[in-house]
Amino acid sequence: MSPDPLTPLVDAQDPAVFGGKAAQLAAALVGGLPVPGGHAVAWNRVDALVATRLTVFDDEPGPWAVRSSAIGEDSAAASFAGAHLSVLGAVGADAVAEAVSQVQASAFDPSALTYREQRGLAGTPRMGVVIQRMVGAEVAGVLFTRNPVTGENERVIEASWGLGETVVAGLVTPDQYRLGADGRVLQRSGGEKDMALVLDADGHTREVPVIGDRVEALCLDDANLRSLHELAMACDRVFATSDHDIEFAFVGGMVHLLQRRPITHG
C-alpha cells in the first residue's frame, strides 16, 4: 500500500475500505454530481495520517470539512446520523490531523457504541474519514426524497441561512418545503432562523445573529427549489433508487451536494 494515507475522494468507492460516506460521495463524483472534492482515508490508514504531518495541507490549507466515514455508516440499515463527529473549518496540516484524530475517537463515544449495539453491529468500530473542501454556503439544509414521517412520495426540504450545521444540529427552526415527486411546490413554511453559522475569510466558522426580516423570510426561492428537484433526479440516475437523504449548500445560486445516504429510520 502507498505510504500516502490519502486517496482522492473520487477513487474511494469501496465502502468496506473507506466507509459508507466516502463511497457514496465517490459514486456521486463519478456520476458527475456537484460534489466538492477532497480526500478519503481508509479505516486502516487513519493512524498513519494522524502520526504524519502531511504537507499537502500546507500547500492546500483549506478550509476543510473533516467527516466520519465508518464502515457501515450511511447505509440503508444504519445512518449513524449525528452519532459521529464532524469538524468544520480545519485549516492547515496540524488542524486537519487534529480533526481526523477527533473524528476517529468519536467512533468510541458511548452514544455511538450504543447505536452500534442497538443495530447488531458487532466488532470493533472501523472509522474511515472524509476530508472535503468546504464551500461558503449562503443557504444550506437537507432534502429527503420521501417524507421521513409519513412515507409519502414527496420531497421534504429543510433549510436555513449559512452552513447546514444549524439545520442538522437543530440550532434553528428551519424553513420547510414540500415538493411533489414531479417538483411541484406543495407547501412553504417559514422558520425561526435567528442565527447562522458562516465561513470566515480565514477559513474558520463563526456564529452570527440573523436580524430583521431575514429571521422569518424564506431562504429558498423557486429557482433553488427547481435545482434541488433536479439534483434529486440526478441522484436517482446515479444511485438507481429514488430514496435519498441529501445535505446540500447553495453558493451564488449553484447547488452543491455535500452528503448523500439512503433514507433509513436507523
Side-chain angles (χ1 to χ4, degrees), residues 241-264:
T241 178
S242 60
D243 278 4
H244 314 288
D245 172 352
I246 290 167
E247 294 185 22
F248 64 86
F250 280 95
V251 182
M254 301 296 293
V255 68
H256 298 265
L257 174 63
L258 305 183
Q259 298 188 57
R260 182 270 168 196
R261 62 173 69 93
I263 291 177
T264 175

Side-chain angles (χ1 to χ4, degrees), residues 42-189:
W43 71 269
N44 59 350
R45 301 292 287 157
V46 171
D47 286 339
L49 186 149
V50 172
T52 305
R53 194 178 192 281
L54 296 179
T55 58
V56 64
F57 295 116
D58 290 324
D59 299 333
E60 301 178 60
W64 301 96
V66 181
R67 306 183 190 277
S68 64
S69 186
I71 308 306
E73 184 174 359
D74 282 8
S75 67
S79 69
F80 281 88
H84 295 143
L85 182 67
S86 292
V87 178
L88 304 181
V91 178
D94 293 335
V96 170
E98 175 62 22
V100 170
S101 179
Q102 292 174 0
V103 170
Q104 181 188 41
S106 73
F108 298 92
D109 185 85
S111 62
L113 293 175
T114 298
Y115 184 95
R116 291 179 60 85
E117 182 181 355
Q118 290 172 344
R119 280 146 191 83
L121 299 173
T124 302
R126 293 171 292 166
M127 177 66 84
V129 176
V130 169
I131 305 171
Q132 189 177 29
R133 293 188 181 280
M134 285 195 68
V135 296
E138 296 155 2
V139 177
V142 296
L143 161 64
F144 297 92
T145 56
R146 174 166 47 82
N147 191 308
V149 177
T150 68
E152 289 292 320
N153 182 24
E154 61 184 14
R155 311 197 189 294
V156 176
I157 300 163
E158 294 186 342
S160 189
W161 305 115
L163 302 175
E165 184 68 12
T166 58
V167 176
V168 299
L171 302 178
V172 298
T173 302
D175 296 345
Q176 187 171 95
Y177 309 78
R178 291 172 47 241
L179 310 182
D182 59 358
R184 180 171 50 93
V185 179
L186 304 176
Q187 180 185 8
R188 309 172 205 246
S189 301

Side-chain angles (χ1 to χ4, degrees), residues 230-244:
E230 291 166 0
L231 177 62
M233 291 192 298
C235 286
D236 291 351
R237 170 181 56 81
V238 170
F239 294 99
T241 178
S242 60
D243 278 4
H244 314 288

